[in-house]
Amino acid sequence: MGKDAKARIQKGKLLSFIPTGEYYFTKGLKAYHRRDFIKAKKYLGRAMQLEPGEPMITCQLAIVSTELGEFENSNRLLHHVLEELDSEMVECHYFLANNYAHIGFFKDAYHHAKLYLQLEPDGDFSEDTEELLELLTFESEDLEDELYLEQDDLIFKQEQARELLESGYFPKAIELLKDVVKEYPEYWSAYNNLALAYFYLGQTEKAESILQDVLERNPGNLHALCNKLVFAHYQGQTNNVTNMLQSLKKIQPLLSEHQFKLGTSFALVGEYELAYLWLKKLYKNGFDGDGPFYYWLSYSAYFTGYENFAQNIWKKMLRIYPDKEGMEPWNAEKAPANGLEDQSGSIFQKLESDYVEERLFALFLTTISSKREEIITSKRLFQNQKFTSLEKEYISLIRSGKPSVTSDAQEIAELFYENHQPIGSIESGLYLMWFSLYVEVSKANISLKNKRAWAGAVEYMWHKLRSEKVSQQEVAERYGLSTATIGKYVKIVNDYLN
């Protein structure tokens, strides 16, 4: 298996792809052998879109990602090959071992190196793997040392949680982060991310209590202070924002991690001059930034008058996140903002979530997405093994438009969309709350006939959980209902949420 795979990777021998997939795969290999990794990534990414179930394309894209220094993305692709596409593609263990060694996850590197030699003792990469194992042993005389393993595990879990947050998997991120803070009660970064996850789900009181706990136990924690600023901004707490800005302006962090957090937080609340000050400083010092770094650097540069620099930085950002095309800062005011509904990558990720409410939310996003046909006809949708009968009913509704048990869920979500669009991280909390509630009421066979009452009650509870001042009368007027009706349904919703 190893020799065949190596030959396919290095010489470009192809499996039987459809012509368009084969065309882009061939172009990607040619670019790879010319060491033009940016073009290789572009072509192979397109080939993977056309043939998402072909392990050879995915593996080659992972190799290119490694060459570009995108080790996390490479590892994600390699794990996807082994876990979903072809478990016998043993050479992926060798590539994983190299990636993990490079980023300092020596335990994982050691595990995959040993696994590769166990599965392919005479494989094409066996000698290289043995050399890697010698290096790993040299780097750490005792790979089984308990403290070392704990630190390695902690970093890995934190990185996993960050990826879950960025992808909108808030319930799963919370689950993981709660385990982390239980095991490592003074690992403040995990607490801050846990607060973010709760905030995005609309549980603002819970989020703020976590930040308060961090600041009491670790006074001056910059990440917690920055998160408090962002929370206050999104909740329209003008006085709190002003006070916190005055305090944060005085801080002069030395660590690049803290400078990055401060700069992006200033950008998030529209303080672009302060944001540009810190983010440009990091850029000048050779900071190895990711997509969010370039995104906010471009925005802060543009809104402080450095348009040419903003355009150059945006090009760098698009190499990492090509789906952000159209979201340029110079289009921010004249074009409608893009939400999750127009990000097919994010929708596909949610469709593969372990949580039914996220999968249902993704199907709703599909119905209002400009990429609707691409998603509903994709192989990834057909091959999804996680769908329950509820999601299958929903898919049938989307395809045929015929009445379905999920029609009520769709119509109530559409009522939200009249007032809450585009759907960003904050707004997604409302929809996730609704679909989580819907799963429960559908099990109990509760009638959803009065759709406006259900929508109004859920929205009222969402605002309440976010500590936003809104009365039942305001919500009742918005949905054309009496206050008594809203009150009645709020009690029902509250019972199911608790």
Side-chain angles (χ1 to χ4, degrees), residues 208-219:
E208 288 170 353
S209 71
I210 291 171
L211 294 183
Q212 192 58 39
D213 179 52
V214 170
L215 290 169
E216 287 175 3
R217 296 163 59 199
N218 185 234

Side-chain angles (χ1 to χ4, degrees), residues 14-26 46-52 54 57 379:
L14 302 170
L15 300 179
S16 56
F17 308 131
I18 60 173
T20 49
E22 179 178 358
Y23 171 74
Y24 284 108
F25 183 69
T26 302
R46 179 61 179 145
M48 186 175 166
Q49 284 181 337
L50 294 166
E51 287 286 332
E54 174 46 54
I57 294 176
K379 188 182 289 186

Side-chain angles (χ1 to χ4, degrees), residues 233-359:
H233 170 76
Y234 278 114
Q235 293 178 90
Q237 299 171 357
T238 309
N239 290 337
N240 284 344
V241 169
T242 301
N243 293 335
M244 282 185 275
L245 277 173
Q246 293 305 315
S247 298
L248 288 170
K249 285 176 184 178
K250 299 173 185 176
I251 296 175
Q252 300 290 316
L254 298 175
L255 295 176
S256 59
E257 175 199 342
H258 288 165
Q259 292 173 2
F260 174 57
K261 180 66 177 181
L262 195 58
T264 53
S265 298
F266 283 142
L268 275 164
V269 301
E271 293 288 332
Y272 292 113
E273 289 188 6
L274 290 167
Y276 184 71
L277 173 74
W278 287 111
L279 298 177
K280 182 65 183 294
K281 180 179 180 180
L282 283 169
Y283 183 74
K284 280 183 174 179
N285 291 336
F287 180 66
D288 186 18
D290 54 8
F293 171 70
Y294 292 122
Y295 181 94
W296 289 116
L297 176 57
S298 179
Y299 262 73
S300 61
Y302 180 79
F303 287 112
T304 48
Y306 300 100
E307 294 185 24
N308 290 336
F309 180 67
Q311 290 173 0
N312 290 332
I313 294 299
W314 190 260
K315 290 175 184 175
K316 291 178 181 284
M317 204 281 302
L318 286 179
R319 290 173 193 163
I320 302 171
Y321 291 128
D323 62 335
K324 297 292 184 185
E325 189 170 357
M327 300 174 68
E328 298 85 356
W330 44 92
N331 289 330
E333 294 179 359
K334 60 186 178 184
N338 289 338
L340 293 174
E341 58 267 42
D342 289 318
Q343 298 175 25
S344 57
S346 178
I347 293 174
F348 276 121
Q349 285 181 321
K350 286 178 173 57
L351 284 169
E352 292 160 6
S353 168
D354 291 333
Y355 296 88
V356 62
E357 64 266 26
E358 290 190 341
R359 298 196 297 269

Side-chain angles (χ1 to χ4, degrees), residues 157-169:
K157 285 182 177 177
Q158 174 72 346
E159 196 58 35
Q160 258 191 317
R162 186 182 67 81
E163 290 177 1
L164 289 168
L165 280 174
E166 289 180 357
S167 302
Y169 292 128

